[in-house]
Amino acid sequence: MPPAKAVSAATVKRRVLNRDKLEAEICAMAVRVFAEAGYEGASLALIAARAGLSKQNLMYYFPSKQALYQRVLDAVLDDWLARMASLADDGQDPRDMLRAYIRAKLRFSREQPWASRVYAMEVIGGAQVYGAQIRQRVVPLLRQDIAVFEKWIAAGRIAPLNATHLLFAIWAMTQSYADFAPQMALVLDQKQLRRQDFDDGEAMITRMVLAALRLE
Amino acid sequence: MPPAKAVSAATVKRRVLNRDKLEAEICAMAVRVFAEAGYEGASLALIAARAGLSKQNLMYYFPSKQALYQRVLDAVLDDWLARMASLADDGQDPRDMLRAYIRAKLRFSREQPWASRVYAMEVIGGAQVYGAQIRQRVVPLLRQDIAVFEKWIAAGRIAPLNATHLLFAIWAMTQSYADFAPQMALVLDQKQLRRQDFDDGEAMITRMVLAALRLE
DNA sequence: GTCTATAATGGGATAGAC
DNA sequence: GTCTATCCCATTATAGAC
């Protein structure tokens, strides 16, 4: 864990922001720490230092570590779901909608890798604190998308297959460009993924999906 | 975190085992705790209780938490790599080899979900403790597999595509049946994944890969 | 090898002055 | 809202008897 950096300039500027903005900025720092160290491994002292305030001051805004963690996950889901225009919007060309869906999900992996990772860690650990929210906010959307696939199949617009596992496959592949980026970078002999790698991934994923659906 | 269970019967039996066996059994308990709680979140006391010995006794066998963690990851990789007969073995039919590869990887996800998850958590967190081992033991094997894909392409046995990202896709999809099983179970409205779900996943993944490679 | 006892540290959380 | 000071507890780790 690298030492916290001084953020005096940012701190001063922040003092004039209102509470909502400040809390959002704290979350933005916290998401990264949680993603790097996990819930237990993340220390409030480090998060506070990264955000440019004292640990006690941090606890003025968030009464407990769990409260901060849940707010972080809420923010992650908000951002995520806002970007992921559901497939359910409707009866456009499946080919175009799938391309857009894959692109949007990969874009999130590229622009918000820590958000994706903190969510992934929570799920892998069994979603012991955030399970209820996932059930309420994520699962219904996934089921909606699956229902769209099934409608397309029923209408003969895509080849018949298991719609649920198709969605699992799309999620797995797109998520991995955030979650497993460190390993991918090692294989590619790079320090981190570049824009080109995401484009290559997008081409690969799109091809696999469309080929499986007999849409190319 | 559920309370530790009494394991008196197992404990007694274990006392007659030799040191290697006992250490292996401790690792088997530890991998699950690390996967559920992450490195920092896992406590030696819980691991010791699950393994049926005292915390102090656990530390007789493993001098530190980090040493135990690294041994756990070593064991995970040993088991994993032993099962994953590399593609590189040679020039069989690409169709059969890919089917076998996907099946072997999914079987590992099904039989050793905690192993997969503890590895995933380590990578997502940036592989800060185990990065060197991944570089030495995992990356070369992945590169070997990628090289096989490229040989197949050069020989015209599969359609041309980005071999690296093809492997990333296969890994992402097969891994996810261990790592994201909790979320999948929620979508499927089940307590956990059943054998049938893995079979459905295998069919889906195989279809996507073979279709992308123009092998079906 | 297994136990009791105990250091030593770090981190979450609270109280109260200003 | 921000600071200093402090409490309390869990946890890793060690020492030493048996």
PDB file of all heavy atoms in Angstrom, chain B residues 38-69:
ATOM      1  N   GLY B  38     -11.464 -12.322   2.334  1.00  0.00           N
ATOM      2  CA  GLY B  38     -10.281 -11.612   1.868  1.00  0.00           C
ATOM      3  C   GLY B  38      -9.108 -11.821   2.812  1.00  0.00           C
ATOM      4  O   GLY B  38      -9.271 -12.376   3.907  1.00  0.00           O
ATOM      5  N   TYR B  39      -7.946 -11.373   2.399  1.00  0.00           N
ATOM      6  CA  TYR B  39      -6.743 -11.623   3.195  1.00  0.00           C
ATOM      7  C   TYR B  39      -6.830 -10.977   4.572  1.00  0.00           C
ATOM      8  O   TYR B  39      -6.642 -11.630   5.590  1.00  0.00           O
ATOM      9  CB  TYR B  39      -5.506 -11.111   2.454  1.00  0.00           C
ATOM     10  CG  TYR B  39      -4.247 -11.216   3.267  1.00  0.00           C
ATOM     11  CD1 TYR B  39      -3.666 -12.453   3.516  1.00  0.00           C
ATOM     12  CD2 TYR B  39      -3.651 -10.080   3.828  1.00  0.00           C
ATOM     13  CE1 TYR B  39      -2.525 -12.565   4.288  1.00  0.00           C
ATOM     14  CE2 TYR B  39      -2.502 -10.188   4.595  1.00  0.00           C
ATOM     15  CZ  TYR B  39      -1.950 -11.424   4.825  1.00  0.00           C
ATOM     16  OH  TYR B  39      -0.825 -11.537   5.593  1.00  0.00           O
ATOM     17  N   GLU B  40      -7.130  -9.689   4.615  1.00  0.00           N
ATOM     18  CA  GLU B  40      -7.180  -8.978   5.901  1.00  0.00           C
ATOM     19  C   GLU B  40      -8.359  -9.447   6.738  1.00  0.00           C
ATOM     20  O   GLU B  40      -8.256  -9.542   7.959  1.00  0.00           O
ATOM     21  CB  GLU B  40      -7.286  -7.468   5.661  1.00  0.00           C
ATOM     22  CG  GLU B  40      -6.163  -6.881   4.830  1.00  0.00           C
ATOM     23  CD  GLU B  40      -4.905  -6.660   5.659  1.00  0.00           C
ATOM     24  OE1 GLU B  40      -4.959  -6.835   6.882  1.00  0.00           O
ATOM     25  OE2 GLU B  40      -3.877  -6.318   5.038  1.00  0.00           O
ATOM     26  N   GLY B  41      -9.452  -9.721   6.069  1.00  0.00           N
ATOM     27  CA  GLY B  41     -10.657 -10.099   6.801  1.00  0.00           C
ATOM     28  C   GLY B  41     -10.594 -11.481   7.419  1.00  0.00           C
ATOM     29  O   GLY B  41     -11.300 -11.770   8.393  1.00  0.00           O
ATOM     30  N   ALA B  42      -9.764 -12.336   6.869  1.00  0.00           N
ATOM     31  CA  ALA B  42      -9.632 -13.682   7.409  1.00  0.00           C
ATOM     32  C   ALA B  42      -8.849 -13.639   8.709  1.00  0.00           C
ATOM     33  O   ALA B  42      -7.793 -13.023   8.774  1.00  0.00           O
ATOM     34  CB  ALA B  42      -8.923 -14.582   6.394  1.00  0.00           C
ATOM     35  N   SER B  43      -9.361 -14.267   9.745  1.00  0.00           N
ATOM     36  CA  SER B  43      -8.626 -14.295  11.014  1.00  0.00           C
ATOM     37  C   SER B  43      -8.078 -15.693  11.264  1.00  0.00           C
ATOM     38  O   SER B  43      -8.728 -16.701  10.973  1.00  0.00           O
ATOM     39  CB  SER B  43      -9.526 -13.855  12.161  1.00  0.00           C
ATOM     40  OG  SER B  43     -10.281 -14.941  12.638  1.00  0.00           O
ATOM     41  N   LEU B  44      -6.873 -15.705  11.808  1.00  0.00           N
ATOM     42  CA  LEU B  44      -6.242 -16.993  12.103  1.00  0.00           C
ATOM     43  C   LEU B  44      -7.070 -17.796  13.095  1.00  0.00           C
ATOM     44  O   LEU B  44      -7.108 -19.014  13.024  1.00  0.00           O
ATOM     45  CB  LEU B  44      -4.828 -16.755  12.651  1.00  0.00           C
ATOM     46  CG  LEU B  44      -3.850 -16.142  11.653  1.00  0.00           C
ATOM     47  CD1 LEU B  44      -2.489 -15.945  12.292  1.00  0.00           C
ATOM     48  CD2 LEU B  44      -3.726 -17.033  10.416  1.00  0.00           C
ATOM     49  N   ALA B  45      -7.737 -17.094  13.990  1.00  0.00           N
ATOM     50  CA  ALA B  45      -8.550 -17.793  14.984  1.00  0.00           C
ATOM     51  C   ALA B  45      -9.652 -18.606  14.304  1.00  0.00           C
ATOM     52  O   ALA B  45      -9.894 -19.760  14.660  1.00  0.00           O
ATOM     53  CB  ALA B  45      -9.158 -16.783  15.952  1.00  0.00           C
ATOM     54  N   LEU B  46     -10.299 -18.003  13.306  1.00  0.00           N
ATOM     55  CA  LEU B  46     -11.370 -18.720  12.616  1.00  0.00           C
ATOM     56  C   LEU B  46     -10.821 -19.892  11.818  1.00  0.00           C
ATOM     57  O   LEU B  46     -11.387 -20.991  11.831  1.00  0.00           O
ATOM     58  CB  LEU B  46     -12.136 -17.756  11.700  1.00  0.00           C
ATOM     59  CG  LEU B  46     -13.277 -18.396  10.917  1.00  0.00           C
ATOM     60  CD1 LEU B  46     -14.320 -18.975  11.861  1.00  0.00           C
ATOM     61  CD2 LEU B  46     -13.918 -17.379   9.980  1.00  0.00           C
ATOM     62  N   ILE B  47      -9.728 -19.664  11.143  1.00  0.00           N
ATOM     63  CA  ILE B  47      -9.110 -20.746  10.367  1.00  0.00           C
ATOM     64  C   ILE B  47      -8.730 -21.897  11.291  1.00  0.00           C
ATOM     65  O   ILE B  47      -8.997 -23.066  10.991  1.00  0.00           O
ATOM     66  CB  ILE B  47      -7.871 -20.229   9.605  1.00  0.00           C
ATOM     67  CG1 ILE B  47      -8.292 -19.216   8.544  1.00  0.00           C
ATOM     68  CG2 ILE B  47      -7.109 -21.391   8.968  1.00  0.00           C
ATOM     69  CD1 ILE B  47      -7.131 -18.468   7.912  1.00  0.00           C
ATOM     70  N   ALA B  48      -8.136 -21.550  12.416  1.00  0.00           N
ATOM     71  CA  ALA B  48      -7.732 -22.581  13.368  1.00  0.00           C
ATOM     72  C   ALA B  48      -8.945 -23.361  13.873  1.00  0.00           C
ATOM     73  O   ALA B  48      -8.926 -24.589  13.923  1.00  0.00           O
ATOM     74  CB  ALA B  48      -6.980 -21.938  14.534  1.00  0.00           C
ATOM     75  N   ALA B  49     -10.008 -22.633  14.201  1.00  0.00           N
ATOM     76  CA  ALA B  49     -11.215 -23.299  14.696  1.00  0.00           C
ATOM     77  C   ALA B  49     -11.780 -24.246  13.645  1.00  0.00           C
ATOM     78  O   ALA B  49     -12.150 -25.385  13.950  1.00  0.00           O
ATOM     79  CB  ALA B  49     -12.258 -22.249  15.089  1.00  0.00           C
ATOM     80  N   ARG B  50     -11.836 -23.783  12.405  1.00  0.00           N
ATOM     81  CA  ARG B  50     -12.352 -24.632  11.328  1.00  0.00           C
ATOM     82  C   ARG B  50     -11.497 -25.877  11.146  1.00  0.00           C
ATOM     83  O   ARG B  50     -11.984 -26.933  10.761  1.00  0.00           O
ATOM     84  CB  ARG B  50     -12.360 -23.848  10.004  1.00  0.00           C
ATOM     85  CG  ARG B  50     -13.379 -22.717   9.959  1.00  0.00           C
ATOM     86  CD  ARG B  50     -14.624 -23.126   9.211  1.00  0.00           C
ATOM     87  NE  ARG B  50     -15.550 -22.009   9.127  1.00  0.00           N
ATOM     88  CZ  ARG B  50     -15.669 -21.220   8.070  1.00  0.00           C
ATOM     89  NH1 ARG B  50     -14.937 -21.432   6.994  1.00  0.00           N
ATOM     90  NH2 ARG B  50     -16.549 -20.234   8.059  1.00  0.00           N
ATOM     91  N   ALA B  51     -10.204 -25.713  11.399  1.00  0.00           N
ATOM     92  CA  ALA B  51      -9.307 -26.849  11.202  1.00  0.00           C
ATOM     93  C   ALA B  51      -9.209 -27.710  12.461  1.00  0.00           C
ATOM     94  O   ALA B  51      -8.538 -28.744  12.459  1.00  0.00           O
ATOM     95  CB  ALA B  51      -7.917 -26.349  10.793  1.00  0.00           C
ATOM     96  N   GLY B  52      -9.835 -27.251  13.544  1.00  0.00           N
ATOM     97  CA  GLY B  52      -9.876 -28.066  14.746  1.00  0.00           C
ATOM     98  C   GLY B  52      -8.640 -27.981  15.614  1.00  0.00           C
ATOM     99  O   GLY B  52      -8.277 -28.938  16.283  1.00  0.00           O
ATOM    100  N   LEU B  53      -7.977 -26.828  15.593  1.00  0.00           N
ATOM    101  CA  LEU B  53      -6.852 -26.655  16.516  1.00  0.00           C
ATOM    102  C   LEU B  53      -6.830 -25.218  17.021  1.00  0.00           C
ATOM    103  O   LEU B  53      -7.607 -24.384  16.581  1.00  0.00           O
ATOM    104  CB  LEU B  53      -5.522 -27.036  15.860  1.00  0.00           C
ATOM    105  CG  LEU B  53      -5.300 -26.851  14.359  1.00  0.00           C
ATOM    106  CD1 LEU B  53      -5.200 -25.393  14.013  1.00  0.00           C
ATOM    107  CD2 LEU B  53      -4.035 -27.555  13.933  1.00  0.00           C
ATOM    108  N   SER B  54      -5.955 -24.967  17.966  1.00  0.00           N
ATOM    109  CA  SER B  54      -5.894 -23.631  18.553  1.00  0.00           C
ATOM    110  C   SER B  54      -5.108 -22.687  17.647  1.00  0.00           C
ATOM    111  O   SER B  54      -4.300 -23.115  16.826  1.00  0.00           O
ATOM    112  CB  SER B  54      -5.215 -23.691  19.918  1.00  0.00           C
ATOM    113  OG  SER B  54      -3.837 -23.975  19.756  1.00  0.00           O
ATOM    114  N   LYS B  55      -5.369 -21.419  17.846  1.00  0.00           N
ATOM    115  CA  LYS B  55      -4.669 -20.418  17.038  1.00  0.00           C
ATOM    116  C   LYS B  55      -3.156 -20.530  17.212  1.00  0.00           C
ATOM    117  O   LYS B  55      -2.396 -20.436  16.237  1.00  0.00           O
ATOM    118  CB  LYS B  55      -5.155 -19.018  17.447  1.00  0.00           C
ATOM    119  CG  LYS B  55      -4.585 -17.903  16.620  1.00  0.00           C
ATOM    120  CD  LYS B  55      -5.174 -16.565  17.004  1.00  0.00           C
ATOM    121  CE  LYS B  55      -4.771 -16.167  18.406  1.00  0.00           C
ATOM    122  NZ  LYS B  55      -5.125 -14.779  18.752  1.00  0.00           N
ATOM    123  N   GLN B  56      -2.747 -20.723  18.459  1.00  0.00           N
ATOM    124  CA  GLN B  56      -1.311 -20.820  18.714  1.00  0.00           C
ATOM    125  C   GLN B  56      -0.709 -22.049  18.048  1.00  0.00           C
ATOM    126  O   GLN B  56       0.415 -22.017  17.546  1.00  0.00           O
ATOM    127  CB  GLN B  56      -1.053 -20.886  20.226  1.00  0.00           C
ATOM    128  CG  GLN B  56      -1.496 -19.651  20.969  1.00  0.00           C
ATOM    129  CD  GLN B  56      -2.961 -19.733  21.386  1.00  0.00           C
ATOM    130  OE1 GLN B  56      -3.722 -20.480  20.799  1.00  0.00           O
ATOM    131  NE2 GLN B  56      -3.329 -18.976  22.408  1.00  0.00           N
ATOM    132  N   ASN B  57      -1.500 -23.098  18.040  1.00  0.00           N
ATOM    133  CA  ASN B  57      -1.014 -24.319  17.410  1.00  0.00           C
ATOM    134  C   ASN B  57      -0.914 -24.142  15.892  1.00  0.00           C
ATOM    135  O   ASN B  57       0.011 -24.638  15.249  1.00  0.00           O
ATOM    136  CB  ASN B  57      -1.957 -25.467  17.751  1.00  0.00           C
ATOM    137  CG  ASN B  57      -1.286 -26.822  17.609  1.00  0.00           C
ATOM    138  OD1 ASN B  57      -1.921 -27.838  17.732  1.00  0.00           O
ATOM    139  ND2 ASN B  57       0.012 -26.811  17.361  1.00  0.00           N
ATOM    140  N   LEU B  58      -1.883 -23.420  15.356  1.00  0.00           N
ATOM    141  CA  LEU B  58      -1.821 -23.126  13.922  1.00  0.00           C
ATOM    142  C   LEU B  58      -0.520 -22.417  13.586  1.00  0.00           C
ATOM    143  O   LEU B  58       0.137 -22.720  12.587  1.00  0.00           O
ATOM    144  CB  LEU B  58      -3.018 -22.246  13.534  1.00  0.00           C
ATOM    145  CG  LEU B  58      -3.007 -21.659  12.127  1.00  0.00           C
ATOM    146  CD1 LEU B  58      -3.077 -22.746  11.074  1.00  0.00           C
ATOM    147  CD2 LEU B  58      -4.162 -20.683  11.945  1.00  0.00           C
ATOM    148  N   MET B  59      -0.130 -21.503  14.485  1.00  0.00           N
ATOM    149  CA  MET B  59       1.076 -20.721  14.216  1.00  0.00           C
ATOM    150  C   MET B  59       2.351 -21.511  14.467  1.00  0.00           C
ATOM    151  O   MET B  59       3.458 -21.024  14.209  1.00  0.00           O
ATOM    152  CB  MET B  59       1.055 -19.441  15.041  1.00  0.00           C
ATOM    153  CG  MET B  59      -0.111 -18.561  14.638  1.00  0.00           C
ATOM    154  SD  MET B  59       0.060 -16.863  15.184  1.00  0.00           S
ATOM    155  CE  MET B  59       1.350 -16.309  14.062  1.00  0.00           C
ATOM    156  N   TYR B  60       2.172 -22.704  15.002  1.00  0.00           N
ATOM    157  CA  TYR B  60       3.339 -23.579  15.083  1.00  0.00           C
ATOM    158  C   TYR B  60       3.658 -24.131  13.690  1.00  0.00           C
ATOM    159  O   TYR B  60       4.821 -24.267  13.318  1.00  0.00           O
ATOM    160  CB  TYR B  60       3.064 -24.727  16.055  1.00  0.00           C
ATOM    161  CG  TYR B  60       4.083 -25.824  16.012  1.00  0.00           C
ATOM    162  CD1 TYR B  60       5.331 -25.661  16.593  1.00  0.00           C
ATOM    163  CD2 TYR B  60       3.797 -27.017  15.371  1.00  0.00           C
ATOM    164  CE1 TYR B  60       6.278 -26.674  16.537  1.00  0.00           C
ATOM    165  CE2 TYR B  60       4.743 -28.030  15.312  1.00  0.00           C
ATOM    166  CZ  TYR B  60       5.980 -27.855  15.899  1.00  0.00           C
ATOM    167  OH  TYR B  60       6.919 -28.856  15.840  1.00  0.00           O
ATOM    168  N   TYR B  61       2.608 -24.384  12.937  1.00  0.00           N
ATOM    169  CA  TYR B  61       2.803 -24.942  11.594  1.00  0.00           C
ATOM    170  C   TYR B  61       3.084 -23.876  10.548  1.00  0.00           C
ATOM    171  O   TYR B  61       3.813 -24.105   9.600  1.00  0.00           O
ATOM    172  CB  TYR B  61       1.578 -25.774  11.203  1.00  0.00           C
ATOM    173  CG  TYR B  61       1.443 -27.024  12.015  1.00  0.00           C
ATOM    174  CD1 TYR B  61       0.581 -27.096  13.100  1.00  0.00           C
ATOM    175  CD2 TYR B  61       2.224 -28.140  11.725  1.00  0.00           C
ATOM    176  CE1 TYR B  61       0.477 -28.248  13.866  1.00  0.00           C
ATOM    177  CE2 TYR B  61       2.133 -29.293  12.484  1.00  0.00           C
ATOM    178  CZ  TYR B  61       1.252 -29.340  13.551  1.00  0.00           C
ATOM    179  OH  TYR B  61       1.175 -30.477  14.303  1.00  0.00           O
ATOM    180  N   PHE B  62       2.470 -22.716  10.736  1.00  0.00           N
ATOM    181  CA  PHE B  62       2.715 -21.619   9.792  1.00  0.00           C
ATOM    182  C   PHE B  62       3.157 -20.395  10.583  1.00  0.00           C
ATOM    183  O   PHE B  62       2.381 -19.850  11.362  1.00  0.00           O
ATOM    184  CB  PHE B  62       1.447 -21.310   9.000  1.00  0.00           C
ATOM    185  CG  PHE B  62       1.009 -22.443   8.119  1.00  0.00           C
ATOM    186  CD1 PHE B  62       0.093 -23.376   8.566  1.00  0.00           C
ATOM    187  CD2 PHE B  62       1.547 -22.596   6.850  1.00  0.00           C
ATOM    188  CE1 PHE B  62      -0.294 -24.434   7.762  1.00  0.00           C
ATOM    189  CE2 PHE B  62       1.160 -23.647   6.042  1.00  0.00           C
ATOM    190  CZ  PHE B  62       0.232 -24.578   6.490  1.00  0.00           C
ATOM    191  N   PRO B  63       4.373 -19.964  10.374  1.00  0.00           N
ATOM    192  CA  PRO B  63       4.951 -18.930  11.229  1.00  0.00           C
ATOM    193  C   PRO B  63       4.227 -17.585  11.161  1.00  0.00           C
ATOM    194  O   PRO B  63       4.319 -16.800  12.092  1.00  0.00           O
ATOM    195  CB  PRO B  63       6.390 -18.794  10.706  1.00  0.00           C
ATOM    196  CG  PRO B  63       6.352 -19.357   9.328  1.00  0.00           C
ATOM    197  CD  PRO B  63       5.298 -20.419   9.339  1.00  0.00           C
ATOM    198  N   SER B  64       3.524 -17.332  10.078  1.00  0.00           N
ATOM    199  CA  SER B  64       2.829 -16.053   9.967  1.00  0.00           C
ATOM    200  C   SER B  64       1.610 -16.201   9.069  1.00  0.00           C
ATOM    201  O   SER B  64       1.484 -17.176   8.322  1.00  0.00           O
ATOM    202  CB  SER B  64       3.758 -14.976   9.393  1.00  0.00           C
ATOM    203  OG  SER B  64       3.982 -15.206   8.027  1.00  0.00           O
ATOM    204  N   LYS B  65       0.738 -15.241   9.162  1.00  0.00           N
ATOM    205  CA  LYS B  65      -0.457 -15.244   8.326  1.00  0.00           C
ATOM    206  C   LYS B  65      -0.083 -15.199   6.847  1.00  0.00           C
ATOM    207  O   LYS B  65      -0.653 -15.917   6.027  1.00  0.00           O
ATOM    208  CB  LYS B  65      -1.323 -14.042   8.688  1.00  0.00           C
ATOM    209  CG  LYS B  65      -2.663 -13.990   7.988  1.00  0.00           C
ATOM    210  CD  LYS B  65      -3.456 -12.766   8.455  1.00  0.00           C
ATOM    211  CE  LYS B  65      -4.829 -12.703   7.817  1.00  0.00           C
ATOM    212  NZ  LYS B  65      -5.626 -11.572   8.336  1.00  0.00           N
ATOM    213  N   GLN B  66       0.883 -14.370   6.521  1.00  0.00           N
ATOM    214  CA  GLN B  66       1.299 -14.271   5.128  1.00  0.00           C
ATOM    215  C   GLN B  66       1.849 -15.588   4.605  1.00  0.00           C
ATOM    216  O   GLN B  66       1.596 -15.968   3.468  1.00  0.00           O
ATOM    217  CB  GLN B  66       2.347 -13.163   4.971  1.00  0.00           C
ATOM    218  CG  GLN B  66       1.871 -12.049   4.054  1.00  0.00           C
ATOM    219  CD  GLN B  66       3.001 -11.378   3.306  1.00  0.00           C
ATOM    220  OE1 GLN B  66       4.086 -11.938   3.122  1.00  0.00           O
ATOM    221  NE2 GLN B  66       2.726 -10.158   2.850  1.00  0.00           N
ATOM    222  N   ALA B  67       2.606 -16.269   5.447  1.00  0.00           N
ATOM    223  CA  ALA B  67       3.154 -17.563   5.031  1.00  0.00           C
ATOM    224  C   ALA B  67       2.025 -18.538   4.726  1.00  0.00           C
ATOM    225  O   ALA B  67       2.069 -19.272   3.733  1.00  0.00           O
ATOM    226  CB  ALA B  67       4.057 -18.120   6.124  1.00  0.00           C
ATOM    227  N   LEU B  68       1.009 -18.536   5.582  1.00  0.00           N
ATOM    228  CA  LEU B  68      -0.145 -19.408   5.341  1.00  0.00           C
ATOM    229  C   LEU B  68      -0.845 -19.026   4.040  1.00  0.00           C
ATOM    230  O   LEU B  68      -1.185 -19.892   3.223  1.00  0.00           O
ATOM    231  CB  LEU B  68      -1.123 -19.309   6.516  1.00  0.00           C
ATOM    232  CG  LEU B  68      -2.461 -20.037   6.333  1.00  0.00           C
ATOM    233  CD1 LEU B  68      -2.247 -21.521   6.091  1.00  0.00           C
ATOM    234  CD2 LEU B  68      -3.356 -19.827   7.556  1.00  0.00           C
ATOM    235  N   TYR B  69      -1.043 -17.738   3.847  1.00  0.00           N
ATOM    236  CA  TYR B  69      -1.721 -17.253   2.644  1.00  0.00           C
ATOM    237  C   TYR B  69      -0.966 -17.674   1.383  1.00  0.00           C
ATOM    238  O   TYR B  69      -1.569 -18.134   0.411  1.00  0.00           O
ATOM    239  CB  TYR B  69      -1.833 -15.733   2.724  1.00  0.00           C
ATOM    240  CG  TYR B  69      -2.555 -15.071   1.583  1.00  0.00           C
ATOM    241  CD1 TYR B  69      -3.890 -15.347   1.317  1.00  0.00           C
ATOM    242  CD2 TYR B  69      -1.909 -14.138   0.777  1.00  0.00           C
ATOM    243  CE1 TYR B  69      -4.555 -14.720   0.283  1.00  0.00           C
ATOM    244  CE2 TYR B  69      -2.572 -13.507  -0.254  1.00  0.00           C
ATOM    245  CZ  TYR B  69      -3.893 -13.794  -0.493  1.00  0.00           C
ATOM    246  OH  TYR B  69      -4.550 -13.167  -1.521  1.00  0.00           O
TER     247      TYR B  69
END
